Amino acid sequence: MDISLIEIEEHIKKYIKVITTVINVDVGVVDKNMKRVSGTSRYIDTVGERVVGSVFQKTLETGETYVVTNPRNHNLCTECLDKKNCKETLEIATPIYCNNEIEGVLGLLCFNEDQKNKILLDEESYLRFTQQIAEFIGMKFNEYKESLIQKEREETLNHLLNNVTKGVILIDENNKITSINQIGIKKLKLSSNPEGKKAILISQNDYIMNEEIFKLIIGNKEYNVIGKKVPMHVIKKNKVIGFIFDDIQKVNKNIVEVSNQYNRITLDDIHGTSQSIQSLKDYIKIIANSNSTVLITGESGTGKELIARSLHSCGNRKDKPLVVINCSAIPDSLLESELFGYVKGAFTGANNNGHMGKFELANGGVIFLDEIGDMPLYLQSKLLRVIQEKKIERIGSNKSIDLDIKIIAATNADLKQKIREKKFREDLFYRLNVIPIQTCPLRERKEDIKPIVKKLIEKYSLISEKKSMDIDDKAMEVLINYDWPGNVRELENVIELVMNTCGDSEKIDLSMLPENILQPKNKNVILDEINKESFEILSDEFEEIEKTYIIKGLKKYGNSTEGKKIICEKMNIGLTTLYRKLKKFNIEK
């Protein structure tokens, strides 16, 4: 920072006035560049001009005080450029220091013998007085420089604060807001700048992704934010706390899948030309903006998740989070914490920073609860309360979190039958079934098979980096005539298999299709055989068959989670249901 004593000219004038009043001599002050800063009498009109006196120059060079009692004849005056014009009878030059650096010179100048004799009679006292005034000027200049540095720091800080992506509030020791950046004002949705208002920060002893949750109170308004405190007494002279924060919704958005980026599913991804598909698309457009709960039912593999994602992308929450959770894929013991989260120390083994549940992650957006029919009864009651009250509480916490959320649920189970069996709450069913969607199985919309096959071939051609393939009429006819008990999921598996085993062929033909597709066993034939034998399976016999099937499945597909998922798919049950059967039949997991 290159500044001169001229910046405090008005203060220097006051100091030299004190000198002239006490001593009755002329005074001159120059800066480190030998420019006149201030002066009395004959020097008043030379402010800003360059001084050529050699005594002042020597003082700047050496930092020493000089008393010249014989101007023009003194050895310091030998090379003085102003020697011929000099009228002085005595000169005292003392350096002005600021932080151990010479910033200028203070000079006392006598122009007659009376002035000179007066000083010489008490030279030591006048010298101390001159040096003291020089010290005062140096101190005042230091204060000025500090104020400039402080101002520059604050301007730099404000510039930084207004160019960060998080909110920043500075709070002094009296809990008053001294500064807030524009991002902070925007995040808190403040109508005016709150500087000067009281602010209170209360830790909630809770964390989200290692960020501490605080309650911020400004005036009579409360805000739930996450952030951290930073001591900032280096920037401010007084004790100041900097609070760097973000709104919880922004964090939620950053740590969940926002489906409008890489996994956006739209109505264009629902393929088919049948009337049922066209009606479904029209219906999705109508209900997409509704905040009411949606229940999607239908057989496994009919695209329930596809419908849920389309509802999200078509609705007014398309730029908000979409969180998907499969209720059958998570063990009962973990499902509650996954859905609702927990606070620090809620139970043994809990993460030290707590855990945000899927409902909280989806706040402001949409949550899709797949396989809702496999949710345990004790969680069904909690879910019912969430739907009714639009609030949740983390496990181990008594603090309610307000929800603004759209719930979409799906199941391939017959929920009405489950209600009769006391395995699903009737009141929850009606809360979920506000807007029902029933998917149509593939066997009831045969005209959709051809366009779906075409799209699947395109998809797996790209994945396998092969040229776009075609399918001959006979192979397509077999696919259309097949009953597809696994619906679109089974059809996709078949196409994926064919694309991986077709080699360099450019067209799919009959020889490439799996045997079970080429020669499916007619269900009616099976039923006829059963009826002919008057086959009647009692409950305990059926359980024995089921147990045998599970044991054989574990031997064939393995005891891993993937193996169990294959068994579930073939039995058309959820993973949680399989775990219950393993326990019931006392089969080793």
Side-chain angles (χ1 to χ4, degrees):
M1 187 179 293
D2 188 20
I3 58 174
S4 164
L5 288 174
I6 193 71
E7 307 290 343
I8 58 167
E9 179 187 359
E10 293 303 315
H11 292 286
I12 291 175
K13 283 181 179 179
K14 294 177 182 179
Y15 285 120
I16 63 176
K17 185 177 181 181
V18 171
I19 297 174
T20 56
T21 301
V22 174
I23 308 178
N24 191 25
V25 295
D26 282 322
V27 182
V29 178
V30 299
D31 65 13
K32 58 186 175 184
N33 298 312
M34 286 292 286
K35 284 187 177 181
R36 180 84 65 190
V37 173
S38 186
T40 61
S41 188
R42 66 191 71 194
Y43 301 119
I44 290 177
D45 298 328
T46 62
V47 172
E49 294 180 5
R50 185 172 178 80
V51 177
V52 296
S54 57
V55 178
F56 279 17
Q57 186 63 53
K58 193 67 175 178
T59 303
L60 285 173
E61 292 173 0
T62 64
E64 295 182 12
T65 296
Y66 293 97
V67 179
V68 178
T69 59
N70 54 339
R72 297 172 298 284
N73 296 318
H74 196 278
N75 59 349
L76 291 177
C77 302
T78 304
E79 299 179 0
C80 181
L81 299 177
D82 198 36
K83 184 176 180 181
K84 292 181 178 181
N85 298 319
C86 181
K87 305 295 183 182
E88 298 168 6
T89 58
L90 181 142
E91 181 176 348
I92 298 177
T94 189
I96 300 172
Y97 280 94
C98 179
N99 291 330
N100 298 319
E101 290 187 11
I102 299 173
E103 295 290 346
V105 178
L106 170 63
L108 268 61
L109 310 167
C110 298
F111 289 92
N112 58 59
E113 291 299 321
D114 289 341
Q115 290 176 327
K116 175 180 178 178
N117 292 331
K118 182 179 180 181
I119 288 177
L120 291 176
L121 285 172
D122 196 2
E123 179 180 338
E124 188 176 338
S125 296
Y126 286 123
L127 193 59
R128 282 200 306 271
F129 178 67
T130 305
Q131 291 173 331
Q132 191 173 39
I133 296 296
E135 187 177 341
F136 288 154
I137 293 173
M139 291 168 62
K140 180 57 68 174
F141 188 56
N142 185 54
E143 287 180 13
Y144 177 75
K145 288 179 70 174
E146 285 292 324
S147 68
L148 287 182
I149 292 171
Q150 177 69 20
K151 185 177 179 181
E152 185 178 5
R153 284 176 176 172
E154 290 182 6
E155 288 175 353
T156 301
L157 176 62
N158 288 331
H159 178 73
L160 290 173
L161 296 185
N162 286 310
N163 284 278
V164 296
T165 58
K166 292 189 176 184
V168 182
I169 297 180
L170 303 185
I171 304 172
D172 66 18
E173 55 192 351
N174 297 315
N175 290 326
K176 294 289 182 67
I177 297 175
T178 61
S179 182
I180 181 171
N181 66 347
Q182 290 300 315
I183 293 292
I185 292 175
K186 185 177 179 181
K187 285 183 180 295
L188 299 176
K189 298 179 181 178
L190 299 171
S191 57
S192 60
N193 194 311
E195 289 182 14
K197 290 186 177 180
K198 191 170 184 179
I200 300 174
L201 270 175
I202 304 172
S203 173
Q204 302 299 288
N205 296 315
D206 203 353
Y207 295 82
I208 296 176
M209 300 298 288
N210 295 322
E211 293 273 10
E212 190 171 2
I213 301 177
F214 288 86
K215 180 183 288 184
L216 172 62
I217 303 173
I218 300 176
N220 58 357
K221 291 187 177 180
E222 296 183 1
Y223 307 89
N224 288 316
V225 294
I226 65 166
K228 60 181 176 181
K229 294 180 180 180
V230 180
M232 303 187 75
H233 52 270
V234 175
I235 301 296
K236 297 276 189 177
K237 289 184 178 180
N238 297 324
K239 183 181 178 183
V240 172
I241 290 294
F243 181 58
I244 303 172
F245 70 94
D246 216 332
D247 56 284
I248 291 178
Q249 288 305 310
K250 174 71 178 298
V251 177
N252 294 354
K253 189 175 180 180
N254 289 341
I255 59 180
V256 301
E257 170 197 14
V258 181
S259 56
N260 64 352
Q261 292 182 359
Y262 308 110
N263 202 21
R264 177 179 280 278
I265 299 295
T266 68
L267 290 176
D268 294 334
D269 296 295
I270 301 177
H271 304 301
T273 57
S274 65
Q275 182 58 47
S276 62
I277 289 297
Q278 295 307 314
S279 298
L280 173 64
K281 288 183 177 183
D282 292 339
Y283 190 51
I284 288 173
K285 290 177 185 177
I286 293 170
I287 66 173
N289 288 333
S290 171
N291 290 324
S292 299
T293 54
V294 178
L295 179 61
I296 308 170
T297 56
E299 294 179 12
S300 180
T302 51
K304 294 185 287 296
E305 183 170 342
L306 200 67
I307 294 170
R309 289 185 178 274
S310 297
L311 277 167
H312 172 253
S313 64
C314 290
N316 50 14
R317 296 174 184 256
K318 61 185 177 182
D319 295 323
K320 300 298 175 68
L322 168 66
V323 177
V324 179
I325 185 165
N326 190 319
C327 299
S328 68
I330 302 172
D332 293 357
S333 58
L334 299 178
L335 187 57
E336 183 176 9
S337 62
E338 280 299 309
L339 286 173
F340 305 111
Y342 56 82
V343 297
K344 177 181 178 181
F347 50 83
T348 303
N351 187 296
N352 286 335
N353 289 332
H355 176 73
M356 180 186 280
K358 295 297 189 289
F359 273 98
E360 199 172 345
L361 287 173
N363 207 355
V366 178
I367 188 167
F368 175 47
L369 303 173
D370 200 6
E371 303 295 352
I372 190 71
D374 291 324
M375 179 177 281
L377 275 170
Y378 81 97
L379 279 184
Q380 291 178 29
S381 61
K382 195 165 185 178
L383 175 60
L384 178 65
R385 191 167 66 252
V386 169
I387 297 172
Q388 290 173 334
E389 299 177 3
K390 299 294 183 182
K391 294 177 184 289
I392 60 165
E393 291 178 3
R394 289 191 186 183
I395 299 172
S397 173
N398 57 6
K399 178 179 174 290
S400 293
I401 299 170
D402 292 326
L403 290 181
D404 170 22
I405 201 167
K406 178 173 181 174
I407 298 173
I408 303 174
T411 182
N412 59 12
D414 184 347
L415 293 185
K416 290 184 178 179
Q417 178 60 33
K418 279 185 169 283
I419 291 170
R420 288 191 289 271
E421 295 172 356
K422 306 297 182 182
K423 293 179 180 179
F424 201 86
R425 293 180 64 107
E426 186 174 16
D427 47 5
L428 177 59
F429 171 75
Y430 289 119
R431 281 288 183 181
L432 291 173
N433 201 39
V434 176
I435 301 178
I437 297 179
Q438 174 72 43
T439 61
C440 186
L442 194 55
R443 61 183 173 275
E444 295 179 11
R445 47 186 181 97
K446 295 282 190 177
E447 63 268 46
D448 291 336
I449 292 176
K450 190 171 183 177
I452 292 174
V453 168
K454 295 285 187 183
K455 286 294 180 180
L456 289 173
I457 291 174
E458 288 178 14
K459 174 182 175 180
Y460 287 103
S461 292
L462 287 172
I463 292 173
S464 57
E465 298 181 348
K466 293 182 178 180
K467 292 181 181 179
S468 183
M469 296 181 66
D470 200 358
I471 181 169
D472 67 25
D473 293 340
K474 290 184 178 180
M476 180 64 80
E477 185 179 355
V478 168
L479 295 179
I480 291 173
N481 290 329
Y482 182 65
D483 213 23
W484 298 111
N487 293 293
V488 179
R489 184 181 292 122
E490 184 183 3
L491 174 58
E492 182 167 2
N493 289 344
V494 169
I495 299 301
E496 185 178 3
L497 171 65
V498 171
M499 294 296 292
N500 278 285
T501 57
C502 65
D504 296 327
S505 299
E506 295 182 357
K507 183 174 282 192
I508 298 172
D509 57 33
L510 285 173
S511 65
M512 299 177 189
L513 297 180
E515 189 66 27
N516 67 307
I517 302 295
L518 293 168
Q519 296 180 344
K521 193 167 184 180
N522 192 303
K523 286 183 180 179
N524 292 327
V525 173
I526 297 172
L527 290 173
D528 287 343
E529 290 174 358
I530 292 173
N531 289 332
K532 284 177 184 179
E533 297 175 8
S534 298
F535 188 75
E536 183 179 1
I537 301 177
L538 298 176
S539 176
D540 55 345
E541 292 175 329
F542 180 79
E543 288 184 354
E544 191 61 35
I545 294 170
E546 196 173 35
K547 179 179 178 180
T548 303
Y549 186 90
I550 292 172
I551 292 171
K552 287 184 177 181
L554 290 171
K555 287 180 180 179
K556 183 174 182 179
Y557 301 110
N559 201 30
S560 66
T561 302
E562 290 305 315
K564 289 171 183 173
K565 285 182 179 179
I566 296 172
I567 297 170
C568 289
E569 189 173 335
K570 291 184 176 297
M571 293 181 69
N572 198 24
I573 61 174
L575 191 60
T576 304
T577 304
L578 178 60
Y579 279 115
R580 283 199 287 267
K581 290 182 183 297
L582 290 172
K583 185 176 180 181
K584 178 180 180 181
F585 299 144
N586 197 26
I587 301 172
E588 254 331 296
K589 295 182 183 180

